Amino acid sequence: MEYVLETRNLEKKYKKFKALKNVNMHLPKGAIYGLIGKNGAGKTTLIRLICGLQKVTNGSYTIFGILNNSKKINMARKRIGAIIEQPSICLDMNAKDNLIEQCKIIGLPLNNDIKEILKTVGLDDVGKKKATNFSLGMKQRLGLAIALVGHPDFIILDEPINGLDPEGIIEIRELIIKLNQEKGITFLISSHYLDELAKIATHYGFIDNGEIIKEISNEELIKNCRKRTEIRVSDVKECVKYLEQEKISYEVISEEQINIYDDINISEFVVSLSNRNCTIIEFKEKEETLENYYINLIGGEGNV
Ligand code: ATP
């Protein structure tokens, strides 16, 4: 697997306080990676380290395979566009002038890209309106346009939907999907809204108290949250033969446990297994929401 970002035992201390502890994170190329954690979990600190805004205390990370203490790390960082906390917008300038300013800051020649970028983020028709008069959603899209000026392969967004109204949230979501699918841009998005990120993320990292407590792909997460019947049986092989025969969707979890994903007629199931000398030891129906999954991960509702 090719990783755009990989961290190894990354640690950040503010005096004696460890804001990040042994963070091991793997962000695949082409992913939309949701970094999920409650307020104060360490999301912004992690992003600031990756962007080179703060120094690492211990451990390391690579961006596009380049190690953080390599001389080439600044070249790798040039391939990143980031919005951390607030988009860096000049409020007394219009959208176009903001992009011209960004070209100057990063030393790029002015070209037709600006028009194209404004079109991409849906700000090509705002004319001379100053950014100060933009809605929050427009400001966020302008922030993304500024991040796009350097043609990044990797965009980092820190809490991009904070404060946005439902329409603004949809606009940002659609824009992220468009940039990911059409331009192949990899995203790292921090948020404490799991449900919102679940609409776009392909991968997740759950961070709590400065630690990545779980990394999981969207596919695995859906599988974990899927409605299922978990059974423990005395003879998995016989049970599997029956499920195959009846074309029932299942997964063998261990030598004793099988998860069944189709609806089954329980009495028929019990009798059929019994005829095969297979006893059901335990039978549990399960369905988990994403929110529940998260709460269970970080250890109880009081923690969210
Ligand atoms: P939020 O969603 O509220 O922005 P976060 O997950 O981004 O939270 P961070 O801002 O990374 O969390 O903060 C992680 C921890 O580190 C918090 O306990 C915070 O108080 C602490 N912290 C952050 N910056 C500093 C600093 N400069 N000095 C001391 N402690 C800090």
Side-chain angles (χ1 to χ4, degrees):
M1 176 97 60
E2 189 179 344
Y3 296 115
V4 165
L5 170 72
E6 212 180 342
T7 71
R8 290 178 205 122
N9 300 324
L10 202 58
E11 186 185 288
K12 177 65 187 174
K13 274 191 196 168
Y14 294 115
K15 297 195 177 142
K16 282 188 177 166
F17 174 71
K18 279 191 189 176
L20 293 178
K21 305 164 200 163
N22 288 326
V23 167
N24 289 299
M25 193 173 155
H26 307 82
L27 206 157
K29 187 172 181 233
I32 298 179
Y33 187 108
L35 180 64
I36 316 268
K38 61 189 179 193
N39 289 337
K43 304 179 294 295
T44 307
T45 302
L46 180 54
I47 288 173
R48 292 179 73 84
L49 292 191
I50 294 157
C51 292
L53 300 172
Q54 277 177 343
K55 278 194 177 157
V56 167
T57 309
N58 277 308
S60 63
Y61 61 87
T62 58
I63 303 171
F64 299 105
I66 311 281
L67 201 59
N68 59 303
N69 57 12
S70 151
K71 279 182 187 158
K72 291 185 190 157
I73 193 68
N74 284 336
M75 292 301 288
R77 284 213 186 91
K78 282 193 175 156
R79 296 172 66 186
I80 302 180
I83 306 181
I84 304 172
E85 287 157 321
Q86 299 288 325
S88 43
I89 293 172
C90 297
L91 290 172
D92 59 345
M93 287 184 184
N94 63 30
K96 187 178 168 192
D97 288 345
N98 262 286
L99 298 202
I100 292 173
E101 192 60 23
Q102 181 66 7
C103 284
K104 287 181 195 159
I105 291 170
I106 61 178
L108 280 182
L110 302 179
N111 53 36
N112 292 335
D113 278 356
I114 288 180
K115 227 173 164 181
E116 187 60 39
I117 292 171
L118 288 175
K119 202 170 162 201
T120 303
V121 301
L123 290 176
D124 50 333
D125 57 358
V126 291
K128 298 234 171 289
K129 194 179 201 174
K130 285 186 178 171
T132 191
N133 298 319
F134 282 9
S135 69
L136 264 182
M138 288 165 81
K139 281 182 188 152
Q140 199 60 267
R141 281 185 283 140
L142 178 57
L144 256 170
I146 292 171
L148 285 170
V149 165
H151 299 284
D153 302 301
F154 177 27
I155 291 186
I156 300 177
L157 304 175
D158 189 17
E159 303 273 3
I161 57 168
N162 259 8
L164 296 189
D165 60 14
E167 203 181 324
I169 292 175
I170 294 170
E171 282 169 4
I172 290 294
R173 188 202 304 155
E174 287 178 351
L175 184 53
I176 291 169
I177 293 174
K178 181 163 121 181
L179 292 170
N180 176 254
Q181 291 180 353
E182 291 177 12
K183 297 196 188 289
I185 298 176
T186 304
F187 279 85
L188 168 61
I189 306 172
S190 83
S191 182
H192 48 266
Y193 299 112
L194 175 56
D195 279 349
E196 187 45 46
L197 266 191
K199 295 187 177 117
I200 53 172
T202 59
H203 295 76
Y204 302 88
F206 292 93
I207 184 167
D208 191 39
N209 276 324
E211 284 177 272
I212 295 277
I213 47 172
K214 179 92 180 167
E215 278 194 309
I216 190 168
S217 71
N218 191 42
E219 268 172 35
E220 284 175 284
L221 186 65
I222 288 170
K223 217 160 129 187
N224 276 329
C225 295
R226 201 170 152 192
K227 189 178 169 204
R228 63 189 181 267
T229 306
E230 291 183 2
I231 53 164
R232 285 204 303 128
V233 289
S234 61
D235 191 336
V236 164
K237 275 188 190 158
E238 278 305 317
C239 184
V240 163
K241 276 187 200 164
Y242 172 74
L243 295 169
E244 288 282 341
Q245 178 192 303
E246 298 299 315
K247 298 192 169 50
I248 294 168
S249 163
Y250 70 94
E251 186 180 10
V252 176
I253 304 298
S254 69
E255 280 175 13
E256 273 198 336
Q257 192 189 327
I258 299 180
N259 287 353
I260 297 174
Y261 299 110
D262 288 336
D263 286 333
I264 47 170
N265 179 324
I266 297 169
S267 48
E268 201 179 295
F269 182 64
V270 173
V271 172
S272 305
L273 286 198
S274 166
N275 289 341
R276 291 169 180 265
N277 285 328
C278 176
T279 318
I280 298 175
I281 303 164
E282 198 173 23
F283 190 98
K284 275 191 281 188
E285 291 202 317
K286 278 206 167 171
E287 187 173 11
E288 220 169 3
T289 61
L290 282 181
E291 215 59 50
N292 269 343
Y293 179 85
Y294 175 43
I295 288 164
N296 286 338
L297 255 187
I298 64 166
E301 211 152 335
N303 252 335
V304 180

